[in-house]
Short mmCIF file of all heavy atoms in Angstrom, two decimals:
data_model
loop_
_atom_site.label_atom_id
_atom_site.label_comp_id
_atom_site.label_asym_id
_atom_site.label_seq_id
_atom_site.Cartn_x
_atom_site.Cartn_y
_atom_site.Cartn_z
N LEU A 972 0.76 -1.53 -15.95
CA LEU A 972 0.21 -0.46 -15.25
C LEU A 972 -1.31 -0.74 -15.10
O LEU A 972 -2.02 -1.02 -16.10
CB LEU A 972 0.38 0.83 -16.02
CG LEU A 972 -0.06 2.10 -15.33
CD1 LEU A 972 0.71 2.46 -14.08
CD2 LEU A 972 0.04 3.36 -16.29
N LEU A 973 -1.84 -0.66 -13.95
CA LEU A 973 -3.25 -0.91 -13.70
C LEU A 973 -4.03 0.08 -14.48
O LEU A 973 -3.67 1.23 -14.63
CB LEU A 973 -3.57 -0.81 -12.21
CG LEU A 973 -2.91 -1.77 -11.26
CD1 LEU A 973 -3.32 -1.43 -9.86
CD2 LEU A 973 -3.48 -3.19 -11.56
N GLU A 974 -5.16 -0.47 -15.10
CA GLU A 974 -5.92 0.45 -15.89
C GLU A 974 -6.57 1.58 -15.00
O GLU A 974 -6.98 2.63 -15.55
CB GLU A 974 -7.08 -0.40 -16.52
CG GLU A 974 -6.61 -1.36 -17.58
CD GLU A 974 -7.65 -2.14 -18.29
OE1 GLU A 974 -8.85 -1.72 -18.08
OE2 GLU A 974 -7.40 -3.18 -18.79
N THR A 975 -6.64 1.36 -13.76
CA THR A 975 -7.29 2.42 -12.91
C THR A 975 -6.38 3.61 -12.76
O THR A 975 -6.90 4.71 -12.56
CB THR A 975 -7.55 1.83 -11.50
OG1 THR A 975 -6.36 1.35 -10.94
CG2 THR A 975 -8.66 0.74 -11.56
N VAL A 976 -5.08 3.44 -12.95
CA VAL A 976 -4.19 4.62 -12.74
C VAL A 976 -4.45 5.71 -13.85
O VAL A 976 -4.76 6.86 -13.45
CB VAL A 976 -2.71 4.17 -12.74
CG1 VAL A 976 -1.79 5.41 -12.65
CG2 VAL A 976 -2.51 3.29 -11.51
N PRO A 977 -4.39 5.36 -15.12
CA PRO A 977 -4.79 6.44 -16.11
C PRO A 977 -6.20 6.90 -15.97
O PRO A 977 -6.47 8.12 -16.10
CB PRO A 977 -4.64 5.74 -17.42
CG PRO A 977 -3.66 4.65 -17.19
CD PRO A 977 -3.94 4.14 -15.76
N ALA A 978 -7.12 6.04 -15.49
CA ALA A 978 -8.49 6.49 -15.29
C ALA A 978 -8.60 7.51 -14.23
O ALA A 978 -9.47 8.39 -14.15
CB ALA A 978 -9.40 5.25 -15.03
N LEU A 979 -7.69 7.46 -13.26
CA LEU A 979 -7.66 8.47 -12.17
C LEU A 979 -6.92 9.77 -12.58
O LEU A 979 -7.34 10.86 -12.26
CB LEU A 979 -6.99 7.85 -10.89
CG LEU A 979 -7.71 6.81 -10.28
CD1 LEU A 979 -6.80 6.15 -9.18
CD2 LEU A 979 -8.96 7.29 -9.57
N LEU A 980 -5.80 9.62 -13.37
CA LEU A 980 -5.01 10.76 -13.73
C LEU A 980 -5.57 11.60 -14.77
O LEU A 980 -5.44 12.80 -14.75
CB LEU A 980 -3.66 10.23 -14.11
CG LEU A 980 -2.74 9.63 -13.00
CD1 LEU A 980 -1.46 9.03 -13.60
CD2 LEU A 980 -2.55 10.56 -11.84
N ILE A 981 -6.30 11.07 -15.75
CA ILE A 981 -6.79 11.82 -16.83
C ILE A 981 -7.83 12.90 -16.38
O ILE A 981 -7.69 14.03 -16.66
CB ILE A 981 -7.39 10.92 -17.98
CG1 ILE A 981 -6.22 10.19 -18.62
CG2 ILE A 981 -8.23 11.73 -18.97
CD1 ILE A 981 -6.64 9.08 -19.60
N PRO A 982 -8.77 12.45 -15.47
CA PRO A 982 -9.71 13.52 -14.97
C PRO A 982 -8.99 14.53 -14.12
O PRO A 982 -9.40 15.69 -14.12
CB PRO A 982 -10.70 12.75 -14.11
CG PRO A 982 -10.59 11.30 -14.61
CD PRO A 982 -9.24 11.16 -15.11
N MET A 983 -7.93 14.16 -13.43
CA MET A 983 -7.20 15.14 -12.61
C MET A 983 -6.51 16.16 -13.56
O MET A 983 -6.58 17.34 -13.26
CB MET A 983 -6.16 14.46 -11.69
CG MET A 983 -6.82 13.86 -10.49
SD MET A 983 -5.76 13.48 -9.08
CE MET A 983 -4.28 12.77 -9.79
N GLU A 984 -5.88 15.62 -14.64
CA GLU A 984 -5.25 16.55 -15.51
C GLU A 984 -6.29 17.50 -16.15
O GLU A 984 -6.05 18.72 -16.23
CB GLU A 984 -4.56 15.73 -16.62
CG GLU A 984 -3.89 16.59 -17.67
CD GLU A 984 -3.25 15.66 -18.74
OE1 GLU A 984 -3.31 14.42 -18.71
OE2 GLU A 984 -2.68 16.25 -19.73
N GLU A 985 -7.44 16.92 -16.58
CA GLU A 985 -8.46 17.74 -17.15
C GLU A 985 -8.94 18.80 -16.17
O GLU A 985 -9.26 19.94 -16.57
CB GLU A 985 -9.54 16.87 -17.72
CG GLU A 985 -9.14 16.05 -18.92
CD GLU A 985 -10.18 15.04 -19.28
OE1 GLU A 985 -11.12 14.78 -18.56
OE2 GLU A 985 -9.99 14.40 -20.37
N GLY A 986 -9.13 18.38 -14.93
CA GLY A 986 -9.67 19.27 -13.88
C GLY A 986 -8.70 20.39 -13.63
O GLY A 986 -9.15 21.54 -13.52
N ILE A 987 -7.42 20.15 -13.61
CA ILE A 987 -6.40 21.18 -13.33
C ILE A 987 -6.42 22.19 -14.59
O ILE A 987 -6.26 23.34 -14.37
CB ILE A 987 -5.02 20.55 -12.99
CG1 ILE A 987 -5.06 19.90 -11.68
CG2 ILE A 987 -3.97 21.64 -13.04
CD1 ILE A 987 -3.87 19.08 -11.35
N GLU A 988 -6.48 21.55 -15.73
CA GLU A 988 -6.45 22.43 -16.93
C GLU A 988 -7.69 23.40 -16.90
O GLU A 988 -7.64 24.56 -17.25
CB GLU A 988 -6.47 21.62 -18.21
CG GLU A 988 -5.14 20.97 -18.47
CD GLU A 988 -5.19 20.04 -19.71
OE1 GLU A 988 -6.24 19.84 -20.27
OE2 GLU A 988 -4.10 19.52 -19.94
N LYS A 989 -8.82 22.82 -16.52
CA LYS A 989 -10.09 23.62 -16.41
C LYS A 989 -9.92 24.70 -15.32
O LYS A 989 -10.33 25.86 -15.49
CB LYS A 989 -11.25 22.81 -16.15
CG LYS A 989 -12.62 23.46 -16.10
CD LYS A 989 -13.77 22.46 -15.86
CE LYS A 989 -15.07 23.14 -15.77
NZ LYS A 989 -16.17 22.25 -15.52
N LEU A 990 -9.36 24.22 -14.19
CA LEU A 990 -9.17 25.18 -13.12
C LEU A 990 -8.20 26.31 -13.53
O LEU A 990 -8.37 27.48 -13.13
CB LEU A 990 -8.55 24.47 -11.92
CG LEU A 990 -8.30 25.28 -10.60
CD1 LEU A 990 -9.67 25.89 -10.14
CD2 LEU A 990 -7.71 24.30 -9.59
N ALA A 991 -7.16 26.02 -14.38
CA ALA A 991 -6.26 27.02 -14.75
C ALA A 991 -6.94 28.20 -15.54
O ALA A 991 -6.49 29.30 -15.55
CB ALA A 991 -5.16 26.39 -15.67
N LYS A 992 -7.97 27.93 -16.22
CA LYS A 992 -8.73 28.93 -16.98
C LYS A 992 -9.48 29.87 -16.00
O LYS A 992 -9.49 31.05 -16.30
CB LYS A 992 -9.66 28.27 -17.95
CG LYS A 992 -9.02 27.53 -19.07
CD LYS A 992 -9.97 26.91 -19.97
CE LYS A 992 -9.23 26.05 -21.03
NZ LYS A 992 -10.07 25.17 -21.82
N ALA A 993 -9.90 29.34 -14.92
CA ALA A 993 -10.73 30.17 -13.99
C ALA A 993 -9.81 30.77 -12.87
O ALA A 993 -9.98 31.95 -12.53
CB ALA A 993 -11.74 29.28 -13.32
N SER A 994 -8.85 30.03 -12.48
CA SER A 994 -7.89 30.49 -11.40
C SER A 994 -6.51 29.93 -11.55
O SER A 994 -6.28 28.79 -11.01
CB SER A 994 -8.50 30.12 -10.06
OG SER A 994 -7.65 30.57 -9.03
N PRO A 995 -5.66 30.50 -12.30
CA PRO A 995 -4.34 30.01 -12.50
C PRO A 995 -3.62 29.71 -11.18
O PRO A 995 -2.88 28.65 -11.14
CB PRO A 995 -3.59 31.10 -13.31
CG PRO A 995 -4.73 31.78 -14.02
CD PRO A 995 -5.85 31.85 -13.02
N LEU A 996 -3.75 30.50 -10.23
CA LEU A 996 -3.01 30.25 -8.96
C LEU A 996 -3.58 29.06 -8.26
O LEU A 996 -2.84 28.24 -7.74
CB LEU A 996 -3.05 31.47 -8.01
CG LEU A 996 -2.28 32.65 -8.50
CD1 LEU A 996 -2.60 33.87 -7.49
CD2 LEU A 996 -0.85 32.39 -8.58
N ALA A 997 -4.87 28.83 -8.29
CA ALA A 997 -5.45 27.61 -7.74
C ALA A 997 -4.97 26.35 -8.46
O ALA A 997 -4.64 25.30 -7.94
CB ALA A 997 -6.94 27.67 -7.69
N ALA A 998 -4.84 26.48 -9.80
CA ALA A 998 -4.40 25.36 -10.62
C ALA A 998 -2.88 25.06 -10.28
O ALA A 998 -2.56 23.92 -10.26
CB ALA A 998 -4.51 25.74 -12.12
N LEU A 999 -2.12 26.09 -10.12
CA LEU A 999 -0.76 25.94 -9.76
C LEU A 999 -0.65 25.19 -8.39
O LEU A 999 0.17 24.28 -8.20
CB LEU A 999 -0.04 27.25 -9.69
CG LEU A 999 1.45 27.24 -9.40
CD1 LEU A 999 2.23 26.47 -10.47
CD2 LEU A 999 2.02 28.67 -9.37
N ARG A 1000 -1.45 25.57 -7.44
CA ARG A 1000 -1.40 25.01 -6.16
C ARG A 1000 -1.83 23.48 -6.30
O ARG A 1000 -1.20 22.56 -5.66
CB ARG A 1000 -2.46 25.68 -5.21
CG ARG A 1000 -2.38 25.12 -3.83
CD ARG A 1000 -3.30 25.97 -2.84
NE ARG A 1000 -3.19 25.40 -1.57
CZ ARG A 1000 -4.01 25.75 -0.55
NH1 ARG A 1000 -4.97 26.59 -0.80
NH2 ARG A 1000 -3.83 25.20 0.58
N ALA A 1001 -2.84 23.21 -7.08
CA ALA A 1001 -3.35 21.84 -7.32
C ALA A 1001 -2.15 21.06 -7.98
O ALA A 1001 -1.92 19.85 -7.67
CB ALA A 1001 -4.51 21.77 -8.14
N ALA A 1002 -1.57 21.59 -8.97
CA ALA A 1002 -0.51 20.87 -9.67
C ALA A 1002 0.69 20.68 -8.75
O ALA A 1002 1.36 19.56 -8.82
CB ALA A 1002 -0.04 21.73 -10.92
N ARG A 1003 1.06 21.55 -7.91
CA ARG A 1003 2.09 21.40 -6.88
C ARG A 1003 1.74 20.29 -5.97
O ARG A 1003 2.64 19.40 -5.60
CB ARG A 1003 2.40 22.69 -6.09
CG ARG A 1003 3.42 22.54 -5.02
CD ARG A 1003 4.80 22.11 -5.60
NE ARG A 1003 5.70 22.04 -4.44
CZ ARG A 1003 6.73 21.14 -4.45
NH1 ARG A 1003 6.95 20.36 -5.42
NH2 ARG A 1003 7.53 21.09 -3.40
N ARG A 1004 0.50 20.21 -5.51
CA ARG A 1004 0.08 19.17 -4.59
C ARG A 1004 0.21 17.81 -5.23
O ARG A 1004 0.69 16.83 -4.69
CB ARG A 1004 -1.40 19.40 -4.13
CG ARG A 1004 -1.93 18.39 -3.17
CD ARG A 1004 -1.06 18.46 -1.90
NE ARG A 1004 -1.16 17.12 -1.32
CZ ARG A 1004 -0.16 16.61 -0.59
NH1 ARG A 1004 0.94 17.22 -0.36
NH2 ARG A 1004 -0.30 15.36 -0.08
N LEU A 1005 -0.18 17.72 -6.55
CA LEU A 1005 -0.06 16.50 -7.27
C LEU A 1005 1.46 16.09 -7.50
O LEU A 1005 1.83 14.91 -7.32
CB LEU A 1005 -0.71 16.67 -8.68
CG LEU A 1005 -0.69 15.46 -9.60
CD1 LEU A 1005 -1.38 14.26 -8.96
CD2 LEU A 1005 -1.38 15.89 -10.91
N GLU A 1006 2.29 17.08 -7.69
CA GLU A 1006 3.75 16.91 -7.79
C GLU A 1006 4.26 16.32 -6.51
O GLU A 1006 5.05 15.35 -6.46
CB GLU A 1006 4.40 18.20 -8.15
CG GLU A 1006 5.96 17.97 -8.30
CD GLU A 1006 6.58 19.31 -8.69
OE1 GLU A 1006 6.11 20.38 -8.15
OE2 GLU A 1006 7.59 19.35 -9.42
N VAL A 1007 3.92 16.87 -5.36
CA VAL A 1007 4.33 16.40 -4.00
C VAL A 1007 3.94 14.95 -3.78
O VAL A 1007 4.66 14.12 -3.33
CB VAL A 1007 3.91 17.31 -2.96
CG1 VAL A 1007 4.12 16.76 -1.60
CG2 VAL A 1007 4.66 18.71 -3.01
N THR A 1008 2.60 14.69 -4.14
CA THR A 1008 2.06 13.37 -3.99
C THR A 1008 2.88 12.35 -4.85
O THR A 1008 3.25 11.29 -4.33
CB THR A 1008 0.61 13.38 -4.27
OG1 THR A 1008 -0.08 14.26 -3.47
CG2 THR A 1008 -0.01 11.99 -4.18
N ALA A 1009 3.15 12.78 -6.07
CA ALA A 1009 3.88 11.84 -6.97
C ALA A 1009 5.28 11.56 -6.44
O ALA A 1009 5.74 10.39 -6.52
CB ALA A 1009 3.96 12.51 -8.37
N MET A 1010 5.98 12.57 -5.87
CA MET A 1010 7.27 12.39 -5.33
C MET A 1010 7.22 11.47 -4.09
O MET A 1010 8.11 10.56 -3.95
CB MET A 1010 7.90 13.71 -4.93
CG MET A 1010 8.25 14.54 -6.15
SD MET A 1010 9.24 16.15 -5.84
CE MET A 1010 8.78 16.61 -4.24
N GLN A 1011 6.23 11.60 -3.23
CA GLN A 1011 6.06 10.75 -2.07
C GLN A 1011 5.84 9.33 -2.47
O GLN A 1011 6.46 8.47 -2.00
CB GLN A 1011 4.97 11.27 -1.14
CG GLN A 1011 5.26 12.58 -0.49
CD GLN A 1011 4.07 13.20 0.21
OE1 GLN A 1011 2.96 12.88 -0.09
NE2 GLN A 1011 4.35 14.11 1.11
N VAL A 1012 4.92 9.15 -3.40
CA VAL A 1012 4.57 7.81 -3.78
C VAL A 1012 5.78 7.17 -4.58
O VAL A 1012 6.04 6.03 -4.39
CB VAL A 1012 3.32 7.66 -4.60
CG1 VAL A 1012 2.72 6.34 -4.67
CG2 VAL A 1012 2.27 8.67 -4.26
N GLY A 1013 6.37 7.95 -5.35
CA GLY A 1013 7.52 7.52 -6.10
C GLY A 1013 8.64 7.05 -5.29
O GLY A 1013 9.34 6.09 -5.56
N TYR A 1014 8.85 7.79 -4.20
CA TYR A 1014 9.97 7.52 -3.21
C TYR A 1014 9.80 6.11 -2.63
O TYR A 1014 10.65 5.27 -2.72
CB TYR A 1014 10.02 8.49 -2.15
CG TYR A 1014 11.02 8.18 -1.09
CD1 TYR A 1014 12.40 8.41 -1.27
CD2 TYR A 1014 10.61 7.55 0.14
CE1 TYR A 1014 13.26 8.10 -0.25
CE2 TYR A 1014 11.52 7.26 1.13
CZ TYR A 1014 12.89 7.51 0.94
OH TYR A 1014 13.79 7.13 1.89
#
């Protein structure tokens, strides 16, 4: 696994967790977008 992949994902995870404290619905939307992206790339 390229080292850049975890380097990209960790800040996204932290950002969504931070967003969840301020706006759970926005965090949910961000998490869903990440899920869709993962499914597309995974396919």
Side-chain angles (χ1 to χ4, degrees):
L972 184 65
L973 295 175
E974 291 179 20
T975 55
V976 174
L979 293 170
L980 293 176
I981 290 170
M983 284 199 316
E984 180 181 357
E985 291 170 350
I987 292 172
E988 287 174 356
K989 183 177 178 181
L990 182 60
K992 293 175 184 171
S994 176
L996 290 176
L999 183 60
R1000 184 174 181 195
R1003 175 62 180 148
R1004 182 65 208 143
L1005 183 57
E1006 181 181 36
V1007 168
T1008 300
M1010 289 185 335
Q1011 290 171 341
V1012 200
Y1014 173 81

